[in-house]
């Protein structure tokens, strides 16, 4: 099924043949497409075309995709990012996801896999905004507030900027506070099996959430070794 042309994808790839291949496939799938070949053009292109998703090569002639993503996040731009990378080491993937990326595809890749990943990311990103406001009141726990309609998170009166995937992960935890969620449960609810059971991505995103949320307050996201994670106050306190 073709995607709606209202979705614009920015393809950032310095190899002209790969860039042309992806651009043609995305056009055929119904997307509007913009392209760039350098990190500098990626940053300017994002501001110019306002893409719904960025397909971003990790190795670029002037910088790397991780640095580009960190710069976008620093500017307050949380457009989902799908990395294209020839790096297969787990550490490299963790660096990419920690920089604010939402998914990755390793080279060489099949075009259909890239298209499926794009559709999955766009589906997840649109999810929290689909229900009428009356059905989605803000979620609250301790000094933490998550507003799905405004797509904002506040802690102790301070806004916490999160990427779309970080936002969905926190919403998953806040939906069942003080209950331990297994990693596989989180993977299914947040990523919809897109990572084929690889729970390491859950660990990476939990680390990101803690870094952003808990640096100025009490630890709210707790690890239950061998099981998963739980959103709760320290044991000696109650909400």
């Amino acid at each position: 099924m073709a995607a709606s042309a209202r979705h614009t994808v920015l393809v950032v790839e310095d190899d002209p043949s790969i860039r042309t291949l992806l651009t043609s496939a995305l056009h055929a799938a119904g997307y509007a497409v913009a392209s760039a070949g350098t990190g500098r053009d990626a940053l300017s292109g994002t501001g110019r075309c306002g893409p719904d998703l960025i397909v971003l090569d990790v190795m670029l002639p002037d910088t790397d995709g991780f640095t580009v993503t960190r710069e976008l996040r620093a500017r307050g731009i949380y457009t989902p990012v799908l990395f294209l990378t020839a790096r297969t080491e787990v550490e490299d993937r963790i660096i990419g996801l920690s920089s604010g990326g939402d998914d990755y595809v390793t080279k060489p890749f099949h075009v259909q896999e890239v298209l499926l990943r794009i559709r999955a990311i766009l589906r997840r990103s649109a999810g929290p905004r689909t229900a009428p406001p009356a059905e989605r009141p803000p979620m609250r726990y301790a000094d933490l507030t998550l507003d799905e309609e405004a797509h904002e998170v506040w802690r102790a009166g301070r806004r916490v900027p999160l990427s779309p995937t970080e936002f969905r992960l926190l919403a998953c935890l806040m939906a069942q506070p003080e209950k331990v969620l297994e990693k596989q449960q989180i993977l299914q609810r947040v990523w919809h099996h897109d990572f084929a059971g690889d729970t390491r991505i859950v660990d990476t995103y939990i680390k990101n959430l803690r870094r952003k949320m808990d640096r100025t307050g009490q630890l709210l996201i707790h690890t239950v070794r061998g099981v998963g994670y739980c959103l709760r106050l320290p044991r000696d306190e109650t909400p």
Side-chain angles (χ1 to χ4, degrees), residues 152-174:
E152 290 182 344
V153 171
W154 296 80
R155 175 139 198 223
R158 180 180 66 89
R159 185 174 179 273
V160 182
L162 299 179
S163 72
T165 303
E166 292 166 349
F167 186 92
R168 288 190 305 277
L169 175 55
L170 181 59
C172 176
L173 295 171
M174 290 188 71

Side-chain angles (χ1 to χ4, degrees), residues 51-125:
D52 298 289
L53 182 142
I54 303 171
V55 177
L56 180 58
D57 187 22
V58 170
M59 301 302 293
L60 296 169
D62 57 342
T63 184
D64 62 79
F66 303 152
T67 300
V68 172
T69 304
R70 282 191 287 265
E71 177 61 26
L72 289 172
R73 302 307 185 234
R75 296 181 184 185
I77 299 172
Y78 292 94
T79 305
V81 172
L82 171 64
F83 287 119
L84 298 179
T85 176
R87 301 176 179 180
T88 58
E89 295 297 324
V90 173
E91 291 77 10
D92 290 323
R93 298 181 187 183
I94 290 175
I95 291 172
L97 295 171
S98 298
S99 70
D102 292 86
D103 200 347
Y104 55 83
V105 173
T106 56
K107 296 179 178 179
F109 57 81
H110 294 285
V111 171
Q112 284 302 315
E113 180 185 4
V114 175
L115 293 176
L116 287 173
R117 297 279 184 168
I118 289 172
R119 289 170 188 165
I121 295 171
L122 290 173
R123 182 180 66 246
R124 296 196 303 258
S125 300

Side-chain angles (χ1 to χ4, degrees), residues 97-98 166 204-213:
L97 295 171
S98 298
E166 292 166 349
T204 298
Y205 271 88
I206 289 290
K207 179 180 178 181
N208 290 350
L209 275 180
R210 284 174 172 157
R211 176 172 52 83
K212 293 183 177 182
M213 286 176 38

